[in-house]
Amino acid sequence: EQNWQEAVKWYEQGAQCGHLQSMNNLACCYEDGEGVEQNEERALYWYRRSAEGGNGGAMYNLGRCYKMGHGVEQNWQEAVKWYEQGAQCGNLQSMNNLAYCYDYGEGVEQNEERALYWYRRGAEAGSDYCMYCLGWNYSNGEGVEQNMTEAIRWYTAAAEGGNADAMHNLGWHYDHGEGVEQDMKKAICWYERAAEQNHPAAMNSLGECYAMGRGVPRDLETAMEWYRRAAELGEAMADYNMGWHLEQAGKLSEAYAHYRKAADGNDDSAWWALGRFYENGVVVAQDGKEARRCYETGEKLGSVKCKMRLARCKLLGIGGRREKKAGLDLCRQALELAKESSEKEDYGYEAEMNLLRRTIAENES
């Protein structure tokens, strides 16, 4: 019968005899309060004893304690030192964390080459997290020449190993036919597998597929359910998507609430939506300056729709002084940029382009 107290008793005896794994397991019990009163200082003591004896898992745990400040003052440099030793001993979690530290410059100078080295070492040793990161690097050309074939290879390996981020990214590539032939059946499969692991972006992607009838029969009710679940997990884009469909259904107050929540989560399209509400006085009092501020915020986050609206504000004098010539130039530039943007699939994108075309035509004479 499971008995944590008995487990701790034997780990303690093994640790006193110099057995390194017993030391590491005993430390875990002290850290988590399993079978013994929680004591971070005792946990740190036994992690250190085990790590100094050569146990790779304990090296990782000691590094983690320094990273989190568990039982010791937080110290990223010490964390990196122990991750390095654990990685050299072949510990996969140490490789994961060491690569992350080099990637983001935590406790060590940022170094893409070293990050990639440890991602590759970890991936080849079987770490699905490192496989995912290696796939991401190849997909985005970070620290290595962009290679979609390699990206798909590593995403697939990571996804098959159970990594939800890789499942979602692999689904996205099959969905959009990037680096692989478009296959909606596979896209839906990977989205669903990631969603089963409560991956919010995958839930949102599934919602989009149901909303548009892409790879599955169009079903707005199911789409909204996936958006809702994703939004509850903090996926800002899902709140924006819910807001859009509620707006189309005429439920404007509910739409505004979801747009506001999505904007608070830095979704660029949500700032475009809020700007329209303020510009036209929908649900809120009409306020050109606030509309313009929303568009400016969204543009800084990369929204081309906000860029189009901002150009229009300058041309028409919404929220500020009217500048016809400069405004027309900006509108034309924004329209050309919009034609080439990858955002074209976004809700309302085509309507925004048409509005900008009309605005230019009406003000050219």
Side-chain angles (χ1 to χ4, degrees), residues 147-177:
N147 186 323
M148 296 308 298
T149 301
E150 281 294 289
I152 296 299
R153 179 168 81 90
W154 286 111
Y155 278 152
T156 302
E160 289 174 348
N163 185 281
D165 288 324
M167 292 175 188
H168 173 254
N169 286 18
L170 191 57
W172 188 92
H173 281 280
Y174 278 114
D175 187 351
H176 297 273

PDB file of all heavy atoms in Angstrom, residues 147-177:
ATOM      1  N   ASN A 147      14.324  26.572 -42.637  1.00  0.00           N
ATOM      2  CA  ASN A 147      14.212  25.298 -43.354  1.00  0.00           C
ATOM      3  C   ASN A 147      12.909  24.640 -42.898  1.00  0.00           C
ATOM      4  O   ASN A 147      12.843  24.037 -41.833  1.00  0.00           O
ATOM      5  CB  ASN A 147      15.413  24.396 -43.030  1.00  0.00           C
ATOM      6  CG  ASN A 147      15.416  23.116 -43.853  1.00  0.00           C
ATOM      7  OD1 ASN A 147      14.367  22.535 -44.116  1.00  0.00           O
ATOM      8  ND2 ASN A 147      16.596  22.659 -44.235  1.00  0.00           N
ATOM      9  N   MET A 148      11.862  24.785 -43.714  1.00  0.00           N
ATOM     10  CA  MET A 148      10.552  24.307 -43.308  1.00  0.00           C
ATOM     11  C   MET A 148      10.489  22.783 -43.228  1.00  0.00           C
ATOM     12  O   MET A 148       9.743  22.227 -42.425  1.00  0.00           O
ATOM     13  CB  MET A 148       9.477  24.835 -44.265  1.00  0.00           C
ATOM     14  CG  MET A 148       9.329  26.357 -44.251  1.00  0.00           C
ATOM     15  SD  MET A 148       9.091  27.048 -42.587  1.00  0.00           S
ATOM     16  CE  MET A 148       7.548  26.277 -42.120  1.00  0.00           C
ATOM     17  N   THR A 149      11.296  22.109 -44.045  1.00  0.00           N
ATOM     18  CA  THR A 149      11.317  20.640 -43.985  1.00  0.00           C
ATOM     19  C   THR A 149      11.817  20.180 -42.627  1.00  0.00           C
ATOM     20  O   THR A 149      11.239  19.280 -41.996  1.00  0.00           O
ATOM     21  CB  THR A 149      12.217  20.067 -45.100  1.00  0.00           C
ATOM     22  OG1 THR A 149      11.711  20.500 -46.368  1.00  0.00           O
ATOM     23  CG2 THR A 149      12.238  18.546 -45.061  1.00  0.00           C
ATOM     24  N   GLU A 150      12.907  20.816 -42.145  1.00  0.00           N
ATOM     25  CA  GLU A 150      13.439  20.484 -40.823  1.00  0.00           C
ATOM     26  C   GLU A 150      12.460  20.896 -39.729  1.00  0.00           C
ATOM     27  O   GLU A 150      12.311  20.196 -38.727  1.00  0.00           O
ATOM     28  CB  GLU A 150      14.784  21.183 -40.609  1.00  0.00           C
ATOM     29  CG  GLU A 150      15.949  20.495 -41.287  1.00  0.00           C
ATOM     30  CD  GLU A 150      16.226  19.119 -40.685  1.00  0.00           C
ATOM     31  OE1 GLU A 150      16.713  19.048 -39.539  1.00  0.00           O
ATOM     32  OE2 GLU A 150      15.929  18.109 -41.365  1.00  0.00           O
ATOM     33  N   ALA A 151      11.805  22.041 -39.918  1.00  0.00           N
ATOM     34  CA  ALA A 151      10.822  22.499 -38.928  1.00  0.00           C
ATOM     35  C   ALA A 151       9.713  21.463 -38.750  1.00  0.00           C
ATOM     36  O   ALA A 151       9.387  21.077 -37.621  1.00  0.00           O
ATOM     37  CB  ALA A 151      10.235  23.835 -39.364  1.00  0.00           C
ATOM     38  N   ILE A 152       9.166  21.006 -39.872  1.00  0.00           N
ATOM     39  CA  ILE A 152       8.070  20.020 -39.813  1.00  0.00           C
ATOM     40  C   ILE A 152       8.570  18.715 -39.200  1.00  0.00           C
ATOM     41  O   ILE A 152       7.864  18.083 -38.396  1.00  0.00           O
ATOM     42  CB  ILE A 152       7.490  19.769 -41.224  1.00  0.00           C
ATOM     43  CG1 ILE A 152       6.851  21.050 -41.790  1.00  0.00           C
ATOM     44  CG2 ILE A 152       6.472  18.636 -41.189  1.00  0.00           C
ATOM     45  CD1 ILE A 152       5.697  21.597 -40.977  1.00  0.00           C
ATOM     46  N   ARG A 153       9.794  18.326 -39.537  1.00  0.00           N
ATOM     47  CA  ARG A 153      10.360  17.077 -38.990  1.00  0.00           C
ATOM     48  C   ARG A 153      10.426  17.135 -37.463  1.00  0.00           C
ATOM     49  O   ARG A 153      10.005  16.200 -36.776  1.00  0.00           O
ATOM     50  CB  ARG A 153      11.743  16.834 -39.572  1.00  0.00           C
ATOM     51  CG  ARG A 153      12.416  15.559 -39.042  1.00  0.00           C
ATOM     52  CD  ARG A 153      13.649  15.216 -39.855  1.00  0.00           C
ATOM     53  NE  ARG A 153      14.818  15.968 -39.469  1.00  0.00           N
ATOM     54  CZ  ARG A 153      15.689  15.566 -38.537  1.00  0.00           C
ATOM     55  NH1 ARG A 153      15.496  14.441 -37.881  1.00  0.00           N
ATOM     56  NH2 ARG A 153      16.762  16.278 -38.269  1.00  0.00           N
ATOM     57  N   TRP A 154      10.927  18.244 -36.930  1.00  0.00           N
ATOM     58  CA  TRP A 154      11.079  18.334 -35.485  1.00  0.00           C
ATOM     59  C   TRP A 154       9.748  18.588 -34.791  1.00  0.00           C
ATOM     60  O   TRP A 154       9.505  18.070 -33.692  1.00  0.00           O
ATOM     61  CB  TRP A 154      12.110  19.401 -35.129  1.00  0.00           C
ATOM     62  CG  TRP A 154      13.511  18.944 -35.419  1.00  0.00           C
ATOM     63  CD1 TRP A 154      14.352  19.416 -36.381  1.00  0.00           C
ATOM     64  CD2 TRP A 154      14.211  17.888 -34.763  1.00  0.00           C
ATOM     65  NE1 TRP A 154      15.540  18.729 -36.363  1.00  0.00           N
ATOM     66  CE2 TRP A 154      15.485  17.787 -35.376  1.00  0.00           C
ATOM     67  CE3 TRP A 154      13.903  17.020 -33.705  1.00  0.00           C
ATOM     68  CZ2 TRP A 154      16.439  16.850 -34.971  1.00  0.00           C
ATOM     69  CZ3 TRP A 154      14.851  16.081 -33.312  1.00  0.00           C
ATOM     70  CH2 TRP A 154      16.102  16.015 -33.932  1.00  0.00           C
ATOM     71  N   TYR A 155       8.869  19.371 -35.420  1.00  0.00           N
ATOM     72  CA  TYR A 155       7.529  19.551 -34.840  1.00  0.00           C
ATOM     73  C   TYR A 155       6.808  18.202 -34.746  1.00  0.00           C
ATOM     74  O   TYR A 155       6.140  17.902 -33.753  1.00  0.00           O
ATOM     75  CB  TYR A 155       6.684  20.502 -35.692  1.00  0.00           C
ATOM     76  CG  TYR A 155       6.925  21.975 -35.460  1.00  0.00           C
ATOM     77  CD1 TYR A 155       6.710  22.897 -36.486  1.00  0.00           C
ATOM     78  CD2 TYR A 155       7.323  22.467 -34.220  1.00  0.00           C
ATOM     79  CE1 TYR A 155       6.910  24.260 -36.288  1.00  0.00           C
ATOM     80  CE2 TYR A 155       7.524  23.826 -34.014  1.00  0.00           C
ATOM     81  CZ  TYR A 155       7.320  24.715 -35.050  1.00  0.00           C
ATOM     82  OH  TYR A 155       7.508  26.054 -34.851  1.00  0.00           O
ATOM     83  N   THR A 156       6.933  17.395 -35.798  1.00  0.00           N
ATOM     84  CA  THR A 156       6.265  16.086 -35.819  1.00  0.00           C
ATOM     85  C   THR A 156       6.808  15.194 -34.713  1.00  0.00           C
ATOM     86  O   THR A 156       6.042  14.543 -33.980  1.00  0.00           O
ATOM     87  CB  THR A 156       6.440  15.416 -37.183  1.00  0.00           C
ATOM     88  OG1 THR A 156       5.902  16.262 -38.212  1.00  0.00           O
ATOM     89  CG2 THR A 156       5.730  14.076 -37.233  1.00  0.00           C
ATOM     90  N   ALA A 157       8.140  15.171 -34.567  1.00  0.00           N
ATOM     91  CA  ALA A 157       8.753  14.346 -33.522  1.00  0.00           C
ATOM     92  C   ALA A 157       8.295  14.804 -32.138  1.00  0.00           C
ATOM     93  O   ALA A 157       7.969  13.982 -31.275  1.00  0.00           O
ATOM     94  CB  ALA A 157      10.277  14.418 -33.628  1.00  0.00           C
ATOM     95  N   ALA A 158       8.266  16.125 -31.932  1.00  0.00           N
ATOM     96  CA  ALA A 158       7.842  16.666 -30.637  1.00  0.00           C
ATOM     97  C   ALA A 158       6.366  16.382 -30.377  1.00  0.00           C
ATOM     98  O   ALA A 158       5.977  16.023 -29.261  1.00  0.00           O
ATOM     99  CB  ALA A 158       8.107  18.164 -30.586  1.00  0.00           C
ATOM    100  N   ALA A 159       5.529  16.543 -31.414  1.00  0.00           N
ATOM    101  CA  ALA A 159       4.093  16.300 -31.281  1.00  0.00           C
ATOM    102  C   ALA A 159       3.828  14.841 -30.953  1.00  0.00           C
ATOM    103  O   ALA A 159       3.016  14.523 -30.075  1.00  0.00           O
ATOM    104  CB  ALA A 159       3.369  16.709 -32.560  1.00  0.00           C
ATOM    105  N   GLU A 160       4.519  13.957 -31.645  1.00  0.00           N
ATOM    106  CA  GLU A 160       4.346  12.529 -31.375  1.00  0.00           C
ATOM    107  C   GLU A 160       4.855  12.164 -29.987  1.00  0.00           C
ATOM    108  O   GLU A 160       4.424  11.170 -29.401  1.00  0.00           O
ATOM    109  CB  GLU A 160       5.052  11.709 -32.454  1.00  0.00           C
ATOM    110  CG  GLU A 160       4.323  11.787 -33.800  1.00  0.00           C
ATOM    111  CD  GLU A 160       5.072  11.095 -34.936  1.00  0.00           C
ATOM    112  OE1 GLU A 160       6.255  10.752 -34.731  1.00  0.00           O
ATOM    113  OE2 GLU A 160       4.472  10.908 -36.009  1.00  0.00           O
ATOM    114  N   GLY A 161       5.763  12.988 -29.447  1.00  0.00           N
ATOM    115  CA  GLY A 161       6.257  12.779 -28.089  1.00  0.00           C
ATOM    116  C   GLY A 161       5.355  13.382 -27.026  1.00  0.00           C
ATOM    117  O   GLY A 161       5.628  13.256 -25.838  1.00  0.00           O
ATOM    118  N   GLY A 162       4.290  14.076 -27.467  1.00  0.00           N
ATOM    119  CA  GLY A 162       3.312  14.601 -26.528  1.00  0.00           C
ATOM    120  C   GLY A 162       3.377  16.089 -26.253  1.00  0.00           C
ATOM    121  O   GLY A 162       2.663  16.584 -25.380  1.00  0.00           O
ATOM    122  N   ASN A 163       4.210  16.838 -26.996  1.00  0.00           N
ATOM    123  CA  ASN A 163       4.327  18.271 -26.753  1.00  0.00           C
ATOM    124  C   ASN A 163       3.160  19.021 -27.396  1.00  0.00           C
ATOM    125  O   ASN A 163       2.993  19.016 -28.611  1.00  0.00           O
ATOM    126  CB  ASN A 163       5.664  18.780 -27.313  1.00  0.00           C
ATOM    127  CG  ASN A 163       5.909  20.233 -26.990  1.00  0.00           C
ATOM    128  OD1 ASN A 163       5.367  21.122 -27.640  1.00  0.00           O
ATOM    129  ND2 ASN A 163       6.719  20.491 -25.981  1.00  0.00           N
ATOM    130  N   ALA A 164       2.339  19.680 -26.573  1.00  0.00           N
ATOM    131  CA  ALA A 164       1.121  20.327 -27.063  1.00  0.00           C
ATOM    132  C   ALA A 164       1.423  21.526 -27.955  1.00  0.00           C
ATOM    133  O   ALA A 164       0.690  21.790 -28.911  1.00  0.00           O
ATOM    134  CB  ALA A 164       0.248  20.748 -25.895  1.00  0.00           C
ATOM    135  N   ASP A 165       2.488  22.291 -27.634  1.00  0.00           N
ATOM    136  CA  ASP A 165       2.861  23.424 -28.488  1.00  0.00           C
ATOM    137  C   ASP A 165       3.193  22.954 -29.898  1.00  0.00           C
ATOM    138  O   ASP A 165       2.802  23.578 -30.890  1.00  0.00           O
ATOM    139  CB  ASP A 165       4.069  24.168 -27.905  1.00  0.00           C
ATOM    140  CG  ASP A 165       3.720  24.966 -26.662  1.00  0.00           C
ATOM    141  OD1 ASP A 165       2.598  25.510 -26.606  1.00  0.00           O
ATOM    142  OD2 ASP A 165       4.560  25.060 -25.757  1.00  0.00           O
ATOM    143  N   ALA A 166       3.924  21.847 -29.976  1.00  0.00           N
ATOM    144  CA  ALA A 166       4.285  21.298 -31.279  1.00  0.00           C
ATOM    145  C   ALA A 166       3.054  20.796 -32.016  1.00  0.00           C
ATOM    146  O   ALA A 166       2.929  20.963 -33.235  1.00  0.00           O
ATOM    147  CB  ALA A 166       5.305  20.172 -31.112  1.00  0.00           C
ATOM    148  N   MET A 167       2.128  20.183 -31.285  1.00  0.00           N
ATOM    149  CA  MET A 167       0.881  19.714 -31.903  1.00  0.00           C
ATOM    150  C   MET A 167       0.145  20.876 -32.545  1.00  0.00           C
ATOM    151  O   MET A 167      -0.327  20.778 -33.687  1.00  0.00           O
ATOM    152  CB  MET A 167      -0.023  19.059 -30.852  1.00  0.00           C
ATOM    153  CG  MET A 167       0.479  17.751 -30.294  1.00  0.00           C
ATOM    154  SD  MET A 167      -0.606  17.171 -28.950  1.00  0.00           S
ATOM    155  CE  MET A 167       0.330  15.771 -28.336  1.00  0.00           C
ATOM    156  N   HIS A 168       0.043  21.982 -31.799  1.00  0.00           N
ATOM    157  CA  HIS A 168      -0.672  23.141 -32.336  1.00  0.00           C
ATOM    158  C   HIS A 168       0.032  23.699 -33.557  1.00  0.00           C
ATOM    159  O   HIS A 168      -0.602  23.991 -34.577  1.00  0.00           O
ATOM    160  CB  HIS A 168      -0.821  24.230 -31.284  1.00  0.00           C
ATOM    161  CG  HIS A 168      -1.399  25.490 -31.854  1.00  0.00           C
ATOM    162  ND1 HIS A 168      -0.645  26.621 -32.080  1.00  0.00           N
ATOM    163  CD2 HIS A 168      -2.644  25.782 -32.292  1.00  0.00           C
ATOM    164  CE1 HIS A 168      -1.402  27.556 -32.613  1.00  0.00           C
ATOM    165  NE2 HIS A 168      -2.624  27.071 -32.766  1.00  0.00           N
ATOM    166  N   ASN A 169       1.360  23.870 -33.477  1.00  0.00           N
ATOM    167  CA  ASN A 169       2.103  24.439 -34.606  1.00  0.00           C
ATOM    168  C   ASN A 169       2.044  23.538 -35.828  1.00  0.00           C
ATOM    169  O   ASN A 169       1.916  24.007 -36.962  1.00  0.00           O
ATOM    170  CB  ASN A 169       3.553  24.698 -34.207  1.00  0.00           C
ATOM    171  CG  ASN A 169       3.689  25.912 -33.302  1.00  0.00           C
ATOM    172  OD1 ASN A 169       2.715  26.368 -32.706  1.00  0.00           O
ATOM    173  ND2 ASN A 169       4.893  26.449 -33.190  1.00  0.00           N
ATOM    174  N   LEU A 170       2.111  22.233 -35.594  1.00  0.00           N
ATOM    175  CA  LEU A 170       2.023  21.292 -36.700  1.00  0.00           C
ATOM    176  C   LEU A 170       0.638  21.380 -37.342  1.00  0.00           C
ATOM    177  O   LEU A 170       0.512  21.389 -38.578  1.00  0.00           O
ATOM    178  CB  LEU A 170       2.298  19.879 -36.188  1.00  0.00           C
ATOM    179  CG  LEU A 170       2.505  18.784 -37.228  1.00  0.00           C
ATOM    180  CD1 LEU A 170       3.647  19.126 -38.184  1.00  0.00           C
ATOM    181  CD2 LEU A 170       2.789  17.449 -36.525  1.00  0.00           C
ATOM    182  N   GLY A 171      -0.385  21.475 -36.500  1.00  0.00           N
ATOM    183  CA  GLY A 171      -1.748  21.651 -37.016  1.00  0.00           C
ATOM    184  C   GLY A 171      -1.860  22.906 -37.855  1.00  0.00           C
ATOM    185  O   GLY A 171      -2.479  22.906 -38.926  1.00  0.00           O
ATOM    186  N   TRP A 172      -1.240  23.988 -37.375  1.00  0.00           N
ATOM    187  CA  TRP A 172      -1.292  25.265 -38.105  1.00  0.00           C
ATOM    188  C   TRP A 172      -0.628  25.134 -39.475  1.00  0.00           C
ATOM    189  O   TRP A 172      -1.142  25.648 -40.473  1.00  0.00           O
ATOM    190  CB  TRP A 172      -0.601  26.353 -37.285  1.00  0.00           C
ATOM    191  CG  TRP A 172      -0.774  27.727 -37.860  1.00  0.00           C
ATOM    192  CD1 TRP A 172      -1.762  28.621 -37.557  1.00  0.00           C
ATOM    193  CD2 TRP A 172       0.045  28.352 -38.860  1.00  0.00           C
ATOM    194  NE1 TRP A 172      -1.606  29.772 -38.300  1.00  0.00           N
ATOM    195  CE2 TRP A 172      -0.508  29.641 -39.106  1.00  0.00           C
ATOM    196  CE3 TRP A 172       1.174  27.977 -39.565  1.00  0.00           C
ATOM    197  CZ2 TRP A 172       0.045  30.531 -40.027  1.00  0.00           C
ATOM    198  CZ3 TRP A 172       1.735  28.858 -40.487  1.00  0.00           C
ATOM    199  CH2 TRP A 172       1.168  30.110 -40.709  1.00  0.00           C
ATOM    200  N   HIS A 173       0.499  24.436 -39.539  1.00  0.00           N
ATOM    201  CA  HIS A 173       1.192  24.272 -40.823  1.00  0.00           C
ATOM    202  C   HIS A 173       0.351  23.444 -41.802  1.00  0.00           C
ATOM    203  O   HIS A 173       0.286  23.765 -42.992  1.00  0.00           O
ATOM    204  CB  HIS A 173       2.574  23.635 -40.608  1.00  0.00           C
ATOM    205  CG  HIS A 173       3.601  24.616 -40.138  1.00  0.00           C
ATOM    206  ND1 HIS A 173       4.246  25.484 -40.992  1.00  0.00           N
ATOM    207  CD2 HIS A 173       4.092  24.883 -38.904  1.00  0.00           C
ATOM    208  CE1 HIS A 173       5.084  26.242 -40.307  1.00  0.00           C
ATOM    209  NE2 HIS A 173       5.011  25.894 -39.031  1.00  0.00           N
ATOM    210  N   TYR A 174      -0.294  22.396 -41.317  1.00  0.00           N
ATOM    211  CA  TYR A 174      -1.184  21.612 -42.187  1.00  0.00           C
ATOM    212  C   TYR A 174      -2.416  22.430 -42.574  1.00  0.00           C
ATOM    213  O   TYR A 174      -2.923  22.322 -43.691  1.00  0.00           O
ATOM    214  CB  TYR A 174      -1.620  20.317 -41.493  1.00  0.00           C
ATOM    215  CG  TYR A 174      -0.601  19.205 -41.605  1.00  0.00           C
ATOM    216  CD1 TYR A 174       0.061  18.720 -40.476  1.00  0.00           C
ATOM    217  CD2 TYR A 174      -0.288  18.641 -42.844  1.00  0.00           C
ATOM    218  CE1 TYR A 174       1.003  17.687 -40.580  1.00  0.00           C
ATOM    219  CE2 TYR A 174       0.649  17.623 -42.962  1.00  0.00           C
ATOM    220  CZ  TYR A 174       1.288  17.156 -41.823  1.00  0.00           C
ATOM    221  OH  TYR A 174       2.221  16.147 -41.932  1.00  0.00           O
ATOM    222  N   ASP A 175      -2.890  23.264 -41.666  1.00  0.00           N
ATOM    223  CA  ASP A 175      -4.044  24.120 -41.916  1.00  0.00           C
ATOM    224  C   ASP A 175      -3.751  25.105 -43.048  1.00  0.00           C
ATOM    225  O   ASP A 175      -4.566  25.290 -43.968  1.00  0.00           O
ATOM    226  CB  ASP A 175      -4.382  24.868 -40.620  1.00  0.00           C
ATOM    227  CG  ASP A 175      -5.680  25.665 -40.690  1.00  0.00           C
ATOM    228  OD1 ASP A 175      -6.261  25.806 -41.783  1.00  0.00           O
ATOM    229  OD2 ASP A 175      -6.108  26.165 -39.635  1.00  0.00           O
ATOM    230  N   HIS A 176      -2.575  25.723 -43.015  1.00  0.00           N
ATOM    231  CA  HIS A 176      -2.254  26.787 -43.958  1.00  0.00           C
ATOM    232  C   HIS A 176      -1.339  26.341 -45.107  1.00  0.00           C
ATOM    233  O   HIS A 176      -1.028  27.150 -45.988  1.00  0.00           O
ATOM    234  CB  HIS A 176      -1.618  27.956 -43.212  1.00  0.00           C
ATOM    235  CG  HIS A 176      -2.535  28.580 -42.206  1.00  0.00           C
ATOM    236  ND1 HIS A 176      -3.436  29.575 -42.519  1.00  0.00           N
ATOM    237  CD2 HIS A 176      -2.726  28.309 -40.886  1.00  0.00           C
ATOM    238  CE1 HIS A 176      -4.125  29.899 -41.445  1.00  0.00           C
ATOM    239  NE2 HIS A 176      -3.721  29.153 -40.439  1.00  0.00           N
ATOM    240  N   GLY A 177      -0.932  25.071 -45.079  1.00  0.00           N
ATOM    241  CA  GLY A 177      -0.094  24.564 -46.167  1.00  0.00           C
ATOM    242  C   GLY A 177       1.270  25.212 -46.222  1.00  0.00           C
ATOM    243  O   GLY A 177       1.812  25.435 -47.307  1.00  0.00           O
TER     244      GLY A 177
END
